[in-house]
Amino acid sequence: MGASKIKNMEEFAAKSGISRPTVSKYFNDPGSVRASTRERIEAALKKYDYRPNIYAMNQNRQLTKNIGVVVPYLADPFFAEIARTIERRCIAAGFWPTLFSSHGEQQLENDILDSLRRLKPAGVLLGPLGRASDRNEIEKFCRDVPTVLIDANIDGVGEAFVGLDNFHSIPLMVDYLCRTGEPPCFFEMPPLNPNANKRRDAYKQAMTDLGHEPQVIRVPGDTWDFEQIGFDGGLQVIDGQQNKTNTVLCSNDRLAIGFLAAAYERGIRVGHGKDCALRVAGHDDHPFSRFTCPSLTTVAQNYESISERSVETLLHLIRDGKRGGERIEILFEGKLVMRASA
């Protein structure tokens, strides 16, 4: 352990008495070298306390092992869960994911794309801001780098989109609420990404198909602070008696969490019991939704399947090496999760 610090792979190869190509082969895939050679390399690693610069290795490859992962707002546990599952799948496939959050800011999203170009990633999984994105910048980036969009779809951009089928999940919830009580009004989230308007349109269509009049309630708000928007808007709705029904379908769970807090603030009991005055449902199966009071009825997105398919799709693009074909869209159905709130 008293040996001098090794600065690079060339020095390590010389010190350990193993050829540079063999050392490089080991770091790319330890199982690709003979067991006896692997033991010598690992003994030398321990002796010299050497760790290679993975990013430098990647930059010297024609095809790097870097994968960029970009989400619009990492403080949202929904995106944190998506990023977590994507990260695990990238690592299992032998790639090094680098995670970025654009925090709801267009300029930061553009800066992230510029940074990713310098990293020369093999591909990128991009959850764009959507309506707040600079479409021209994203289109230009996607022409340069194999890119699969997740969560928010921008029509015609990237090689593929993987996400939820809102026109299945929202009608699924509307049908359930209509069968079990009064038809719901729709408490709409700010249209920060394309999912907002798709869910509203899906609600209106589902209500019309069932012979009910849609009632959309839109409250002010243009930030990602959905819980606060749900709370403030919920107080407005309750105090102003804006809802013509005792059932409220929120366009995402974070809005619903805020709405539940507003109902509690006004002393309104939420649930489907005889002593309850209001039913509240959400969408997404946010990681906290099972722990609200009452627990939130919602539609679950399949985090595992969306993450797995998005990584599979990107890896296929990387390994196939063919780009510019027909863009594909892969949509997953939601699953109704019945809990105490509705």
Side-chain angles (χ1 to χ4, degrees):
M1 295 299 293
S4 60
K5 186 74 174 178
I6 301 295
K7 297 179 181 179
N8 53 49
M9 197 178 297
E10 285 74 14
E11 287 188 18
F12 175 74
K15 286 278 189 180
S16 61
I18 302 167
S19 72
R20 171 67 169 79
T22 300
V23 171
S24 179
K25 186 178 181 183
Y26 168 84
F27 284 123
N28 285 326
D29 180 8
S32 66
V33 300
R34 290 184 298 180
S36 59
T37 304
R38 187 164 61 248
E39 290 174 4
R40 288 178 59 199
I41 293 173
E42 289 170 355
L45 287 172
K46 184 176 181 180
K47 177 180 179 180
Y48 297 112
D49 190 27
Y50 173 67
R51 296 293 181 274
N53 185 330
I54 298 298
Y55 283 102
M57 291 170 59
N58 281 336
Q59 294 300 90
N60 290 328
R61 293 191 179 109
Q62 185 175 1
L63 178 63
T64 76
K65 301 291 281 186
N66 300 329
I67 285 183
V69 182
V70 185
V71 297
Y73 197 70
L74 192 56
D76 186 330
F78 169 79
F79 291 114
E81 181 65 14
I82 287 288
R84 183 187 70 84
T85 51
I86 284 175
E87 183 180 51
R88 291 177 63 188
R89 278 166 169 73
C90 288
I91 292 172
F95 286 79
W96 295 94
T98 305
L99 177 62
F100 299 87
S101 172
S102 51
H103 298 283
E105 300 175 15
Q106 182 189 99
Q107 186 56 55
L108 182 54
E109 184 174 72
N110 290 346
D111 292 343
I112 287 169
L113 299 181
D114 286 339
S115 296
L116 280 168
R117 281 193 183 90
R118 289 192 290 272
L119 285 174
K120 296 197 293 189
V124 168
L125 294 162
L126 171 62
L129 295 175
R131 297 183 183 280
S133 294
D134 184 334
R135 182 185 176 103
N136 289 335
E137 285 297 319
I138 292 182
E139 286 180 338
K140 184 166 61 176
F141 178 83
C142 292
R143 286 194 294 268
D144 297 337
V145 180
T147 304
V148 172
L149 269 58
I150 55 175
D151 182 63
N153 193 10
I154 301 178
D155 291 338
V157 176
E159 307 281 350
F161 169 73
V162 181
L164 181 77
D165 185 353
N166 290 293
F167 285 88
H168 167 268
S169 60
I170 290 292
L172 184 69
M173 178 60 79
V174 170
D175 177 73
Y176 166 74
L177 293 174
C178 289
R179 286 189 289 105
T180 56
E182 292 186 10
C185 63
F186 189 72
F187 192 68
E188 186 176 15
M189 69 178 177
L192 297 177
N193 68 31
N195 290 322
N197 288 347
K198 287 180 180 178
R199 292 179 186 180
R200 178 201 61 209
D201 293 345
Y203 160 79
K204 292 169 69 174
Q205 185 61 55
M207 288 285 284
T208 301
D209 290 345
L210 292 172
H212 303 297
E213 181 181 355
Q215 183 194 358
V216 176
I217 299 174
R218 175 91 173 270
V219 293
D222 60 356
T223 72
W224 288 82
D225 192 5
F226 292 144
E227 290 87 359
Q228 188 66 53
I229 293 171
F231 177 75
D232 294 339
L235 291 178
Q236 293 177 26
V237 170
I238 293 169
D239 293 345
Q241 297 182 335
Q242 296 178 32
N243 51 316
K244 301 174 185 178
T245 169
N246 70 0
T247 304
V248 179
L249 171 57
C250 299
S251 60
N252 69 32
D253 286 351
R254 292 182 60 197
L255 274 181
I257 289 170
F259 198 100
L260 287 175
Y264 179 82
E265 182 79 9
R266 291 296 185 258
I268 297 174
R269 191 174 179 87
V270 175
H272 45 71
K274 292 182 179 179
D275 58 342
C276 296
L278 193 65
R279 295 192 304 161
V280 177
H283 191 288
D284 291 335
D285 199 21
H286 184 292
F288 298 161
S289 63
R290 69 188 66 187
F291 302 113
T292 58
C293 188
S295 56
L296 185 63
T297 291
T298 186
V299 176
Q301 293 205 46
N302 192 330
Y303 294 87
E304 293 292 327
S305 293
I306 290 174
S307 301
E308 182 174 1
R309 185 62 67 84
S310 61
V311 173
E312 285 179 355
T313 302
L314 183 61
L315 292 181
H316 177 75
L317 286 170
I318 293 170
R319 290 164 178 162
D320 184 56
K322 295 179 181 179
R323 302 190 59 203
E326 184 178 356
R327 185 179 190 265
I328 60 173
E329 293 188 8
I330 302 167
L331 302 179
F332 287 89
E333 296 183 349
K335 179 182 178 181
L336 181 65
V337 180
M338 294 173 286
R339 298 194 180 109
S341 70

